[in-house]
Amino acid sequence: GIQFMHQNHVAHQDCTTENIMLDPSKMYPKSFHPANIKRSRDFCGKAKGYTRTWRPPRYLLIDFGLSRQYDPANGSPLDRPLRGGDKSAPEHQDGNTPCNPFPTDVYYLGNLVREGFIQKYHAFEFIEPLIADMVQEDPTKRPTMDEVVTHFAEIKGKLSTWKLRSRMARRNEVWPLGSGRMEGSQHTS
């Protein structure tokens, strides 16, 4: 979605988890109850659901209130920072210096993955170098969204089906090993 927007010279400027929605219709063809996704829509039985890998959902980008389209004939845009949900972009720290909003969108998505997945779960080491590039301090050193999409496709193509389907384990998760022993990042000897 962001790649399409950037190709059409539109910066979203508020790429946060609150603005990315999941369409569950492929995962739950007969829907589910809004109060409990394990129950059918009429709450009379269990909802039939599939995993994201068996029936990949569509993700939708919403909230275009801060989005702006720029004229490519004017060169790289420089605009005052618009502070959406993620206020951590290095180029926005002083709040006044005009900057190019396209690398900031790249930062927002990289930061979303870093904070929402890499810092919370194990097994995302395969994407850490790409995310590190996306969240670089200097916006001019960040990849474009086209480069991000290309690099991600290359990374994904090298992953096994097992890796793609493996369960995400929280970094603070404790695993039982048997015989009363526990292993995990919270375990101390």
Side-chain angles (χ1 to χ4, degrees):
I2 296 293
Q3 181 186 31
F4 176 79
M5 290 179 70
H6 285 196
Q7 289 169 344
N8 288 282
H9 316 290
V10 177
H12 188 277
Q13 304 193 76
D14 198 13
C15 306
T16 60
T17 53
E18 292 81 8
N19 293 332
I20 299 175
M21 306 307 267
L22 178 143
D23 173 5
S25 59
K26 289 183 181 179
M27 292 171 58
Y28 293 91
K30 294 185 180 179
S31 196
F32 52 84
H33 194 275
N36 183 344
I37 66 169
K38 293 181 180 181
R39 303 296 300 175
S40 64
R41 183 126 181 104
D42 62 6
F43 214 76
C44 290
K46 291 182 178 180
K48 175 65 176 164
Y50 299 89
T51 66
R52 293 174 201 222
T53 50
W54 283 109
R55 300 237 177 132
R58 275 186 346 144
Y59 291 91
L60 308 165
L61 195 57
I62 64 167
D63 190 359
F64 300 97
L66 296 179
S67 299
R68 289 191 182 163
Q69 185 170 28
Y70 297 91
D71 185 348
N74 296 332
S76 292
L78 288 177
D79 212 345
R80 282 211 133 93
L82 298 175
R83 293 173 65 96
D86 184 347
K87 296 174 180 34
S88 66
E91 57 269 33
H92 289 185
Q93 294 312 302
D94 73 6
N96 292 320
T97 305
C99 59
N100 184 337
F102 295 104
T104 306
D105 275 355
V106 170
Y107 174 89
Y108 289 149
L109 285 178
N111 197 43
L112 183 152
V113 173
R114 178 175 61 182
E115 291 182 353
F117 297 94
I118 293 172
Q119 292 176 353
K120 291 182 180 179
Y121 299 94
H122 289 288
F124 281 98
E125 68 287 338
F126 62 90
I127 201 166
E128 287 178 7
L130 173 59
I131 299 307
D133 280 347
M134 293 173 70
V135 298
Q136 289 188 65
E137 284 281 323
D138 182 350
T140 64
K141 293 183 179 177
R142 294 180 198 144
T144 65
M145 195 54 66
D146 283 338
E147 292 168 337
V148 168
V149 170
T150 299
H151 192 172
F152 180 74
E154 291 168 358
I155 292 168
K156 184 180 168 200
K158 294 176 184 174
L159 298 176
S160 68
T161 302
W162 178 86
K163 179 69 170 175
L164 290 170
R165 292 185 50 90
S166 61
R167 185 180 76 80
M168 294 180 355
R170 287 196 169 270
R171 291 197 176 271
N172 62 355
E173 197 169 310
V174 177
W175 287 77
L177 290 178
S179 304
R181 286 185 40 200
M182 300 293 279
E183 182 179 347
S185 57
Q186 291 186 335
H187 174 69
T188 57
S189 306

